[in-house]
Amino acid sequence: MSNIKSCNKYKRQISIIFISMSVLTLILYPYYNVYAEASLQLIQKKLDFIWIIVAASMVFFMQVGFTAFEAGAVQAKNAISVSIKNILNFLVSSIAYFIVGFGIMFGLSYEGYVGISNFLLYGIDTHVTSLGYAFVFFQLVFAGTAATITSGAFAERAKLLMHICTTIFVVCLIYPVFGHWAWGHLFHPNQYGWLGRMGFIDFAGSTVVHSISGWVALSGAIVLGPRMGKFNPDGTVNRMYGHNLPLATIGTFFLWFGWFGFNGGSLLRADTSIGLVIINTTLSGAVAGIAAAVFGKVKNKRLDAAEILLGIMGGLVAIGAGCSRVSSVYACIVGLCAGIIVILAKDFIEKVLKVDDPVGAVPVHGFCGAWGTLAVSLFTPASAFSMTNFNRLLQVGVQCLGIIVAFAWAFSLGLLFFWCLKKLVGIRVSAEEEVKGLNLSEYEDVTSWLDFVKISKVQDMNTALQGKIKERTRELEHIKENLEEDVKKRTSELKESRDELEKKVGQLENFAKVAVGRELKMKKMEEELKSSKNKNHK
């Protein structure tokens, strides 16, 4: 009996504990959901921070790629100058963007035209955005990329002062103003630049970063003029080969790696969409490289390694605007067209416009950036065009407007800026400095100058040897022609002699036939005479 009472007592205690826990669970469950959700949001926020910092670091690493590519694409006597120019560009662009550029590009908008706050990064730490300084760092390395792209077209003949002034001009005015028109809502989500309000799409900067830089580069190259020896008096183009193609190839690989951060980081968050962005980036670059190789082979009857590298970069530039929206098949089409456009644009710039662009900045970034921006409206599903009422034709118009505005803004102001800079302080080194090379004139690098002299002597010897070979070849061809003419003449004479001999042989044969006929006739007559004499005797 006591055991039964004890068992019932334990049952009541267990029931009370269970009921208490149930009630407590019901009371605390809503708070637990809130806490769990807040924890997940905190984790996502931290992941976003980590991804943006990593992506920005990859974009920063693109400076290594630009330096290697440009140093390999120019002559040895200017390789040091190009390398130091690139690092100075990033130093200046970082400070300029910190002071002015970020505020103009992402500050509170004045009528959708320009930002008017957040200069010197004031107010960044109190802003409601979840990215804060990580976002600033990501945009700062974008600005550095724009500055480096622009200066590549001026290599081998521009003063160092021109590179520094151009960097300040691009990072403090041209790039951030247009960037505000297209991306002004990225930091303050409740505002849009005037192009953004119209529905202009440029996910990772095909126009905002690349085309803008390319058109400034074009204007500067026009005002600066070509390198000595680039064009002949009749307007034909002389190919000026880079001194180290393997170094340029390594630079291209570094750039390709950095582009994964350039495009992938433009999502501004860490989620599964990164996969589509990166695979589209890879495919576009790969197909563009193949297209450039095949098209160049068909056009020139040979492979051109430099054009293959330019084709790869053209594909990477073009896919930036729509890599988060288009399918992988369309990414391949974008790259295919970009690989061909890069070669055609390069020939157009050199052979028609007579503009000298040593590293191909204008065809790669200017033309391919414009193509990639237009391709967004052609290959993206219409369901993504919410700002243009899902109207594809209207989206094509908006994209074309953005391309035209970018060209007009960057090219026209670029021409004015470089013309004024040329008149005020000069933008080009002297002819003597250009011949010697900027390594020597700017950095007194005698070693590379001596190497260049040796290389020049070897090149002169090769040129002289090729000249002698061509001269001897012409002499041999002349001798061959004379021999052929003499053989033809003697053959003709022999033919005439043979014909004459055959004619005489024929005459002799005819005479012999006549003689034989006469002899037979004489014999017949003799026989007839004998027979008549015999008859008379009888």
Side-chain angles (χ1 to χ4, degrees), residues 369-509:
W371 155 242
T373 303
L374 176 62
V376 174
S377 58
L378 302 178
F379 303 129
T380 299
S383 58
F385 303 147
S386 59
M387 301 287 285
T388 53
N389 295 321
F390 312 105
N391 187 319
R392 185 176 299 279
L393 187 60
L394 182 58
Q395 189 66 45
V396 170
V398 171
Q399 297 299 105
C400 289
L401 176 63
I403 294 168
I404 294 170
V405 169
F407 177 80
W409 168 253
F411 183 74
S412 59
L413 283 187
L415 281 178
L416 178 62
F417 170 77
F418 291 117
W419 182 83
C420 293
L421 193 64
K422 181 178 181 180
K423 295 298 182 181
L424 293 174
V425 298
I427 58 177
R428 184 166 184 143
V429 299
S430 66
E432 181 182 359
E433 290 174 326
E434 186 174 348
V435 170
K436 288 183 177 180
L438 302 185
N439 292 355
L440 182 64
S441 61
E442 290 181 348
Y443 305 103
E444 298 183 355
D445 182 64
V446 180
T447 303
S448 65
W449 165 245
L450 293 176
D451 290 340
F452 173 72
V453 170
K454 293 177 184 177
I455 293 170
S456 299
K457 287 182 178 179
V458 173
Q459 290 175 342
D460 292 341
M461 290 174 63
N462 288 335
T463 302
L465 182 60
Q466 289 175 359
K468 289 182 178 180
I469 292 173
K470 288 180 180 178
E471 183 179 353
R472 185 59 179 166
T473 302
R474 285 194 294 268
E475 291 177 359
L476 292 173
E477 288 177 350
H478 183 65
I479 293 172
K480 179 184 175 183
E481 291 174 358
N482 290 337
L483 287 173
E484 289 177 348
E485 185 178 352
D486 187 58
V487 169
K488 288 180 180 179
K489 184 178 179 180
R490 292 184 181 277
T491 302
S492 178
E493 291 175 353
L494 290 172
K495 185 178 180 182
E496 291 176 358
S497 299
R498 186 186 64 185
D499 292 342
E500 186 177 352
L501 182 61
E502 288 177 350
K503 184 178 180 182
K504 290 181 179 181
V505 170
Q507 290 175 351
L508 288 173
E509 289 177 348

Side-chain angles (χ1 to χ4, degrees), residues 10-130:
Y10 287 133
K11 285 181 179 180
R12 284 196 300 272
Q13 290 177 350
I14 292 172
S15 298
I16 292 171
I17 293 172
F18 177 76
I19 293 171
S20 301
M21 291 179 65
S22 300
V23 172
L24 187 62
T25 300
L26 290 174
I27 295 173
L28 297 179
Y29 182 74
Y31 299 99
Y32 172 78
N33 280 344
V34 172
Y35 176 78
E37 185 176 352
S39 298
L40 290 175
Q41 289 178 351
L42 181 61
I43 292 172
Q44 181 63 50
K45 181 179 178 180
K46 290 180 178 180
L47 288 175
D48 293 344
F49 262 99
I50 293 170
W51 169 238
I52 294 302
I53 294 298
V54 170
S57 300
M58 293 168 70
V59 177
F60 172 75
F61 191 71
M62 291 176 74
Q63 295 294 332
V64 179
F66 280 121
T67 301
F69 176 80
E70 293 180 14
V74 300
Q75 301 172 84
K77 61 179 180 178
N78 296 306
I80 294 176
S81 171
V82 167
S83 302
I84 299 302
K85 176 268 297 181
N86 276 9
I87 197 166
L88 287 176
N89 279 345
F90 189 79
L91 297 178
V92 174
S93 66
S94 297
I95 297 171
Y97 198 72
F98 158 68
I99 297 173
V100 178
F102 183 85
I104 292 176
M105 190 165 181
F106 294 107
L108 290 172
S109 182
Y110 177 75
E111 302 295 333
Y113 294 108
V114 65
I116 56 174
S117 67
N118 301 122
F119 298 107
L120 293 169
L121 305 187
Y122 181 78
I124 298 297
D125 52 348
T126 59
H127 194 266
V128 294
T129 180
S130 61

Side-chain angles (χ1 to χ4, degrees), residues 165-296:
C165 292
T166 302
T167 297
I168 296 172
F169 171 67
V170 169
V171 173
C172 291
L173 180 63
I174 298 296
Y175 170 67
V177 169
F178 187 85
H180 186 82
W181 297 346
W183 290 348
H185 61 285
L186 294 182
F187 191 66
H188 294 279
N190 297 324
Q191 66 178 27
Y192 277 87
W194 69 271
L195 267 177
R197 278 199 300 266
M198 296 182 68
F200 179 71
I201 297 174
D202 186 1
F203 173 73
S206 289
T207 286
V208 175
V209 179
H210 297 286
S211 279
I212 285 291
S213 303
W215 303 141
V216 175
L218 177 61
S219 64
I222 290 173
V223 177
L224 184 62
R227 291 168 289 176
M228 296 175 62
K230 178 64 177 179
F231 297 103
N232 296 315
D234 61 355
T236 55
V237 182
N238 292 319
R239 179 75 178 270
M240 302 180 75
Y241 292 92
H243 83 285
N244 195 332
L245 189 61
L247 181 61
T249 304
I250 291 172
T252 303
F253 275 116
F254 283 159
L255 286 169
W256 200 336
F257 172 76
W259 240 293
F260 297 143
F262 198 99
N263 291 351
S266 295
L267 284 167
L268 300 179
R269 64 182 184 275
D271 62 21
T272 56
S273 302
I274 297 173
L276 176 64
V277 171
I278 291 180
I279 193 62
N280 282 349
T281 302
T282 304
L283 290 174
S284 182
V287 173
I290 294 174
V294 174
F295 185 73

